[in-house]
């Protein structure tokens, strides 16, 4: 198949052999599992269980409230100990609510498995999507976008190609490689199911050329008559070919539009791990409760891939890989280019944890002091999204957030190629992340301000209306009073009283007058 | 001589007429600039800028009476946005920016007097006479206008907790080479100054 | 052909701002943002073209027949002032924001030496009607181009690492000087 190239990219030493030398290890069930309520892009879930409840393996313990959200299931059977704030794998090192499960030794499914659908070909897309949603499946390449939403493209878009992302371009990470070697037919079955859901006419399964065993395993697992339907393509191993936009460009030469999605080109991209999870959900009714994690790096004694339950603490995984090597000072979740540092190895594995990378100080030489930008243009040469990182840097630095968007900030995939080649050691990706969040934050504040203004203006209207109504009421009352004649009875009584009072006064004065006359007469 | 006077006078008359007519034709109603400025302000209606609300402040800026750096709730972002809109120089804020906080009513102490409800510019307090009052957290803008009228002092400002949803990457620090330094004889830049 | 030469001359070779050094006040004052500069450029184009044409007509059909050449400057100023007032009203109506941002510089187009300069140079060069119009239009286009270029550079400078003694007007002046040097490279392109 004729392949194309995307602009830029880097050839990096892949460091994959360290972790693929050993076979996949399936970890036992740990004593405690810490399952975060939010393991995906989108709103957090709502817990369905309370402390003390018994849960069986695969039982839904937390519910998705929105469309862009995914259910969370119990990875094993046991009792819910508490729902508490626990450190989670996030660059902020903050804690978030987690359901803590104390496992019993039984690992029982109970009746929490959904019905097995061996006849999935007869089912329609909607029920299959509902099954994917019920199983809590999210993108397992690291971004953790809820898959059921991704498999439901906008009305009017026709999907003709399913792209399976087996590239795994970042150094050190090999979980997808091991998955492809270990259970290629499961991945292929998952791909067939998704192609059925989307109505795709072909599947392009892309694997980087540094994974010959995986390529061979997949080709062997594929049925002979499927060679046209499922094309297994070996692509050059350049970082970041695994980004879905770059992958689509390599396979088809077409660029996903800037504000658009691959679905606009009629394509959907899925990770191999996601496909296997879909297959487990449809064929066996199992929700997403475990994943393969690569535990690797010079700071690990026996680097290998580990299949672990969601909620297992990092410390337990590292112990299963022989523990830390002496002198470890850094633990990164993800790879060396796009991963972030973790402060506490008690954080649990979540659905998007693809790799744990431990390093010692001698493995990552100090980057040196940050120096001024010399406008050399190296960053522009390597940017896979064909942006101008230098200009984005200047605008982000000067907080010119309008220009930074004009130059395509939101097309940046934060791959780190630019920062990798910068001779001045400028942390470019930090600037872009800062700028993106500033812009989102300002947008949120602007919406809040607009809402506050509406409420203020309505309040002013309300007050004016109340004043008006009060004035009207007063005016009406006054008018009524003025118009109204006092009734005759009252008038007579009042007149009578006035008469009597006058008579009394006159009578007194007459009396006085007569006494005065008598006095005059006397004197 | 007469020709000169007539010529100039004639020109002036003609232009005067044209301008008079144009003045009528191109009359501008209202104050659209104030609207654009108002759209950039945070609408807390707190009065910290010394104007009774955000709209009067916007109108003052449009008229050139007020400077653009008087809004603490808007922060530096608003100053920069206003400077950008109006082509003026951005200035540092006059007053200190306070931490974002919301008002919380201590329900044990509230006597149901409705004075705070009348004070709130965005109607974020729910309640009625002799009934419990409470602040709707999402609508509270942190303007602090309700603190004074309360006769029993039961309203407090509680800083907003930072959680995962609000957490943001910090702006990267400027490099030691760029920050102005006193001459320390430290050429290597290894000794960092306190930020 | 003559007309094309006039245009090239006024826009590039004898650019009014960078070679003749006329109209420097709005050049320095309105060039912080590209949008403002574009607005100012358009306003000046309108004023320059209209006043160049009106000045020519007044000079040709009023002043010269009546032997009132000594009133030229006064009459031209009258014309320019009226045209600028008219432009102000139009700008205020169509874009109040631009009106507010340009501020005092909009009425100051009246005193822009480039505008009066064009009117007087037209007389000096004994241009005909179309030549005067083109001369005015070309001068304005040259002015606008340079203004927009300068404002784009200044926007970049605003975010850049300028050494402390150079910040503000100093770096702007140096940039203007360098641009002027660059434009002088056009001399000899066309002889007019």
């Amino acid at each position: 198949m004729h392949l194309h190239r995307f602009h830029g990219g880097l050839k990096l030493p892949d460091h994959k052999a360290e972790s693929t030398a050993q076979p996949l290890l399936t970890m036992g069930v740990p004593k405690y599992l810490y399952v975060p309520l939010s393991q995906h892009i989108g709103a957090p879930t709502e817990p369905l269980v309370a402390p003390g409840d018994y849960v069986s393996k695969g039982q839904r313990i937390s519910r998705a409230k929105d469309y862009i959200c995914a259910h969370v299931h119990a990875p094993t059977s046991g009792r819910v100990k508490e729902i508490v704030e626990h450190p989670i794998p996030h660059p902020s090192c903050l804690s978030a609510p987690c359901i803590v499960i104390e496992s019993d030794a039984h690992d029982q499914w109970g009746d929490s498995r959904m019905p097995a659908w061996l006849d999935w070909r007869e089912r329609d897309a909607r029920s299959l999507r509902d099954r994917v949603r019920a199983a809590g499946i999210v993108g397992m390449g690291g971004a953790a976008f809820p898959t059921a939403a991704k498999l439901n493209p906008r009305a009017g878009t026709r999907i003709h190609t399913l792209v399976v992302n087996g590239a795994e371009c970042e150094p050190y990470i090999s979980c997808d490689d091991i998955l492809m070697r270990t259970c290629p037919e499961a991945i292929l079955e998952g791909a067939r199911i998704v192609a059925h859901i989307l109505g795709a006419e072909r599947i392009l399964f892309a694997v980087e050329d540094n994974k010959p065993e995986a390529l061979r395993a997949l080709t062997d697992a594929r049925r002979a008559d499927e060679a046209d339907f499922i094309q297994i393509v070996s692509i050059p191993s350049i970082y970041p070919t695994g980004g879905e936009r770059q992958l689509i460009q390599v396979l088809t030469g077409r660029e996903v539009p800037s504000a658009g999605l691959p679905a606009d080109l009629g394509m959907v991209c899925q990770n191999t791990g996601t496909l296997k999870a879909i297959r487990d959900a449809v064929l066996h009714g199992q929700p997403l409760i475990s994943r393969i994690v690569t535990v690797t790096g010079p700071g690990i004694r026996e680097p290998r891939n580990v299949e672990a339950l969601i909620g297992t603490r990092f410390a337990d995984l590292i112990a299963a890989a022989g523990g830390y090597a002496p002198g470890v000072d850094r633990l990164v979740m993800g790879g060396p280019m796009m991963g972030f540092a973790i402060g506490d190895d008690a954080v649990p594995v979540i659905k998007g944890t693809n790799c744990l990378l431990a390093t010692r100080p001698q493995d990552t030489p100090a980057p040196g002091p940050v120096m001024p930008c010399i406008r050399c243009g190296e960053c522009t040469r390597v940017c896979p999204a064909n942006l101008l990182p230098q200009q984005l840097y200047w605008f982000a630095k000067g907080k010119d957030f309008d220009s930074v968007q004009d130059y395509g900030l939101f097309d940046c995939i934060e791959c780190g190629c630019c920062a990798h080649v910068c001779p001045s050691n400028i942390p470019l990706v930090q600037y872009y992340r800062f700028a993106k969040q500033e812009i989102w934050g300002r947008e949120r504040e602007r919406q809040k301000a607009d809402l506050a203004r509406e409420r203020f203006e309505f309040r002013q209207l309300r007050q004016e209306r109340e004043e008006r109504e009060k004035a009207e009421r007063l005016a009406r009352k006054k008018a009524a009073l003025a118009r109204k004649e006092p009734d005759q009875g009252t008038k007579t009584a009042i007149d009578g009283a006035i008469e009597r009072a006058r008579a009394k006064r006159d009578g007194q004065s007459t009396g006085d007058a007569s006494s005065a006359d008598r006095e005059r007469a006397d004197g | 001589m007469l020709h000169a006077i007539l010529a100039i006078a004639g020109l002036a008359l003609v232009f005067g007429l044209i301008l008079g007519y144009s003045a009528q034709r191109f009359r501008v109603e209202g104050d659209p600039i104030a609207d654009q400025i108002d759209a950039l302000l945070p609408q807390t209606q707190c009065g910290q800028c010394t104007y009774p609300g955000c709209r009067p402040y916007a109108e003052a800026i449009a008229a050139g009476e007020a400077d653009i750096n008087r809004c603490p709730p808007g922060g530096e972002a608003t100053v920069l946005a206003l400077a950008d809109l109006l082509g003026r120089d951005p200035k540092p804020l006059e007053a200190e920016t306070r931490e974002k906080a919301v008002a919380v009513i201590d329900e044990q102490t509230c006597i149901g007097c409705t004075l705070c409800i009348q004070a709130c510019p965005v109607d974020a307090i729910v309640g009625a006479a002799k009934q419990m009052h409470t602040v709707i957290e999402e609508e509270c803008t942190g303007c602090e206008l309700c603190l004074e009228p309360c006769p029993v002092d039961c309203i407090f400002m509680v800083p907003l907790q930072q959680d995962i949803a609000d957490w943001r990457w910090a702006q990267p620090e400027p490099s030691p080479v760029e920050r102005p330094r006193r001459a320390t004889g430290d050429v290597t830049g290894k000794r960092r100054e306190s930020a | 052909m003559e007309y094309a030469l006039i245009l090239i001359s006024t826009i590039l070779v004898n650019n009014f701002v960078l070679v003749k050094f006329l109209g420097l006040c709005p050049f320095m004052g309105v060039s912080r943002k590209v949008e403002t500069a574009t607005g100012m450029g358009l306003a000046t184009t309108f004023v320059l073209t209209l006043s160049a044409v009106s000045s020519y007509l007044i000079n040709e059909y009023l002043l010269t027949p009546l032997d009132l050449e000594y009133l030229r400057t006064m009459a031209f100023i009258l014309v320019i002032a009226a045209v600028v007032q008219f432009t102000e009203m139009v700008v205020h109506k169509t874009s109040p924001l631009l009106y507010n941002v340009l501020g005092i510089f909009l009425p100051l187009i009246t005193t822009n030496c480039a505008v009066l300069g064009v009117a007087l140079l037209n007389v000096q060069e004994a241009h005909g009607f179309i030549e005067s119009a083109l001369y005015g239009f070309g001068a304005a286009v040259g002015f606008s181009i340079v203004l927009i270029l300068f404002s784009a550079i200044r926007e970049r400078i605003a975010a850049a690492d300028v050494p402390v003694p150079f910040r503000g007007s100093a770096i702007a002046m140096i940039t203007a000087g360098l641009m002027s040097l660059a434009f002088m490279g056009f001399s000899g392109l066309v002889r007019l």
Side-chain angles (χ1 to χ4, degrees), chain A residues 88 90-92 370 397 399 402 430-431 433-434 437-438 441-442 445 449 451-453 455-456 459 462, chain B residues 38-39 42-43 45 76-77 84 117-118 120-123 138-139 141 164 167-169 171-172 175 178:
Chain A
I88 58 161
H90 188 266
S92 62
V370 174
K397 193 146 170 280
K399 296 202 184 157
D402 288 324
Q430 308 297 76
Y431 279 96
R433 285 175 173 160
F434 161 71
Q437 296 197 322
E438 270 298 303
R442 284 182 193 197
E445 278 170 28
L451 200 60
R453 186 185 312 122
R455 290 182 76 92
F456 179 63
R459 176 191 144 90
R462 176 173 63 85
Chain B
D38 196 35
Q43 303 303 318
Q45 322 289 350
E76 194 201 355
D84 209 41
I117 297 181
Q118 291 164 41
C120 177
V122 293
D123 283 341
E138 292 86 43
E139 305 293 352
T141 57
I164 304 267
W167 181 84
R168 296 197 208 172
W169 292 97
Q171 188 183 18
S175 73
E178 289 162 337

Side-chain angles (χ1 to χ4, degrees), chain A residues 176-408:
Chain A
D176 287 346
D177 188 5
I178 287 290
L179 186 70
M180 288 189 280
R181 290 192 217 182
T182 325
C183 36
E185 21 8 82
I187 304 173
L188 289 172
E189 186 72 357
R192 292 185 202 106
I193 295 173
V194 171
H196 175 78
I197 295 176
L198 296 169
E201 294 155 8
R202 64 171 181 169
I203 299 174
L204 291 177
F205 202 131
V207 182
E208 277 192 343
D209 57 15
N210 56 7
K211 304 182 202 0
E213 301 91 339
L215 282 162
R216 215 174 316 126
L218 285 167
T219 323
D220 291 342
R222 184 182 57 175
R223 288 200 312 263
D225 59 342
E226 277 184 321
D228 285 328
F229 180 57
I230 306 181
Q231 293 178 44
I232 299 176
V233 186
S234 168
I235 55 178
S237 38
I238 303 176
Y239 177 79
T241 310
E244 78 181 354
R245 286 162 193 255
Q246 284 66 38
L247 186 61
I248 288 176
Q249 202 171 348
V250 166
L251 292 173
T252 63
R254 300 176 68 190
E255 275 187 58
V256 177
S258 167
L261 297 167
D264 297 334
L265 296 179
M267 301 182 170
V268 169
C269 189
Q270 288 289 334
N271 174 272
T272 50
T274 317
L275 291 175
K276 174 174 181 298
I278 293 176
R279 173 256 193 195
D280 288 344
V282 171
L283 253 52
H284 301 304
Q286 291 176 1
L288 176 55
I289 53 171
S290 72
R291 67 160 296 144
I292 300 181
V293 181
T294 310
V295 185
T296 183
I300 300 284
R301 277 230 165 79
E302 295 161 31
R304 66 189 312 159
N305 282 285
V306 177
E307 179 156 10
L309 294 173
I310 307 287
T312 312
R313 293 178 321 158
F314 283 8
D316 297 335
L317 266 80
I318 291 168
Y324 293 108
V328 157
D329 77 329
R330 220 163 179 240
L331 183 62
V332 167
M333 168 163 142
M337 301 294 285
M338 293 184 73
F340 52 88
I342 299 284
D344 183 354
D345 64 5
V347 299
V349 169
I350 58 175
K351 295 177 184 177
T353 307
N354 50 6
C355 178
L356 294 182
L357 181 62
T359 55
R360 307 160 301 185
Q362 62 261 41
D363 305 311
T364 38
V370 174
M371 292 185 283
C373 171
I374 56 172
R375 297 194 181 266
C376 65
E378 279 296 297
C379 52
T380 310
R381 200 175 54 82
V382 297
C383 178
N386 220 351
L387 301 171
L388 296 176
Q390 193 192 103
Q391 280 311 111
L392 292 177
Y393 163 70
W394 284 116
F395 290 133
K397 193 146 170 280
K399 296 202 184 157
D400 185 353
F401 293 120
D402 288 324
S403 304
V404 94
Q405 286 184 79
D406 287 337
Y407 276 73

Side-chain angles (χ1 to χ4, degrees), chain A residues 85-106:
Chain A
E85 300 264 321
H86 184 88
I88 58 161
H90 188 266
S92 62
C93 299
L94 290 172
S95 299
C98 293
I99 299 178
V100 183
I101 299 178
E102 185 175 350
S103 58
D104 59 19
H106 305 299

